[in-house]
Amino acid sequence: MDRSSAPELLDIAVEVARNAADTAYRMRAEGVSVTATKSTVTDVVTAADRAVERQISDALRRLRPDDAMLGEEYGAAQPGSDAPARVRWIVDPIDGTVNYLYGLPHSAVSIAAEVDGEVVAGVVRNIHTGEEWTATLGGGAWRDGRRLRCSAETDLGQTLVITGFGYDPARRAHQARVVAELIPHVRDIRRLGAAAIDLCLVAEGRADAYYEKGLAAWDQAAGALVAAEAGLRVGGLGGRAPGPDMVIAAPPAIFAPLHDRLVDLDADGGP
Ligand code: LIP
């Protein structure tokens, strides 16, 4: 019998994420250092990123051998069997790695389950605080048993916006120009450093809106479902789906004015 219902997949994601977060927390306490860099010298990898992703993929392989996986550190993994996988797990073992390296309490394990190409379940667990956000498609968004509702803000000028910057200096310069032009038109800007948690914070109204260019699927898959299930409109620019070009999550009344400002400011442009 196919046990790929969203609640069943969420139960697995939560169990695996909790164990993974415990490992990441313990490794942080034991001391972490940079073991490698990726796209640029500031795009770092620690031993914990790799160990935690291996722990997650081993657990998912054991619990769901016929599923595929896409992880930040080890990429795509196909199921043991030849049958095409209906379910794919999208995994960021430590989102907010720079925060994790510096000991800033804003990094998370993020696990999303996709069925036939659609994300139907997701969990984001803060490694340091234990805060845990979950969602299933059509089943709402939750934090620690409380159903989440996003901000009802209707005025862009009163909107507290979270955003982020990439690892490429030229892209950062472009993103900084966008922020400089946008900031007079919003309440204020926050840069916290972990897209998965940032999306969950706007889901529960601890800020009003979020946007960022340059995110990979593993940075946003689970957080975007939490945001959408809390009532936010989540999308890209020009009617596109949320993706590497742009992810915007905003209350319905704010999405269009924020979107249009970002278009005017060429926010998905630059390097
Ligand atoms: C991070 C994102 C963050 C972004 C960083 C980086 P990582 O992911 O969560 O929003 O601003 O540039 O992409 O590299 O820590 O998994």
Side-chain angles (χ1 to χ4, degrees), residues 3-271:
R3 299 173 55 77
S4 301
S5 73
E8 286 162 330
L9 295 172
L10 182 63
D11 288 347
I12 290 172
V14 166
E15 177 196 337
V16 172
R18 288 177 180 173
N19 295 332
D22 289 348
T23 300
Y25 185 89
R26 177 177 48 72
M27 291 184 76
R28 182 76 206 43
E30 291 163 359
V32 289
S33 57
V34 175
T35 53
T37 59
K38 297 186 284 190
S39 60
T40 72
V41 292
T42 59
D43 184 2
V44 298
V45 183
T46 70
D49 291 274
R50 291 176 173 168
V52 171
E53 184 163 319
R54 273 198 305 277
Q55 177 180 325
I56 292 171
S57 57
D58 290 349
L60 292 174
R61 170 84 54 222
R62 193 175 63 252
L63 295 163
R64 304 255 332 165
D66 298 335
D67 295 354
M69 180 172 149
L70 172 65
E72 175 169 9
E73 305 310 332
Y74 295 107
Q78 293 310 316
S81 66
D82 297 338
R86 287 193 58 215
V87 175
R88 181 176 71 148
W89 297 91
I90 304 173
V91 173
D92 193 335
I94 301 181
D95 186 46
T97 297
V98 173
N99 286 343
Y100 180 80
L101 182 66
Y102 281 79
L104 294 169
H106 194 83
S107 59
V109 174
S110 174
I111 302 177
E114 191 187 60
V115 175
D116 300 329
E118 183 173 39
V119 174
V120 299
V123 57
V124 173
R125 187 173 176 88
N126 183 313
I127 291 163
H128 312 267
T129 66
E131 288 167 296
E132 184 181 276
W133 297 269
T134 59
T136 53
L137 190 61
W142 306 79
R143 178 164 72 80
D144 305 331
R146 184 170 61 85
R147 183 144 192 179
L148 305 180
R149 289 267 177 270
C150 66
S151 153
E153 187 56 63
T154 59
D155 175 2
L156 186 61
Q158 294 287 325
T159 296
L160 183 61
V161 177
I162 302 178
T163 191
F165 304 91
Y167 290 114
D168 172 58
R171 174 174 290 179
R172 298 168 72 77
H174 182 82
Q175 290 171 314
R177 283 193 292 277
V178 170
V179 167
E181 296 289 327
L182 178 67
I183 205 165
H185 304 287
V186 298
R187 174 190 292 272
D188 203 347
I189 294 279
R190 295 289 181 272
R191 196 303 192 241
L192 303 174
I197 300 179
D198 298 345
L199 284 159
C200 293
L201 293 179
V202 289
E204 63 172 285
R206 288 156 79 178
D208 301 303
Y210 169 84
Y211 79 91
E212 187 162 356
K213 168 190 167 87
L215 297 179
W218 47 76
D219 294 316
Q220 52 104 351
L225 181 67
V226 172
E229 285 294 324
L232 290 163
R233 181 173 165 191
V234 181
L237 296 179
R240 291 191 293 279
D245 289 345
M246 185 58 69
V247 173
I248 304 172
I254 295 292
F255 189 94
L258 178 58
H259 170 281
D260 297 351
R261 280 271 174 212
L262 293 173
V263 169
D264 291 350
L265 297 172
D266 187 29
D268 65 339

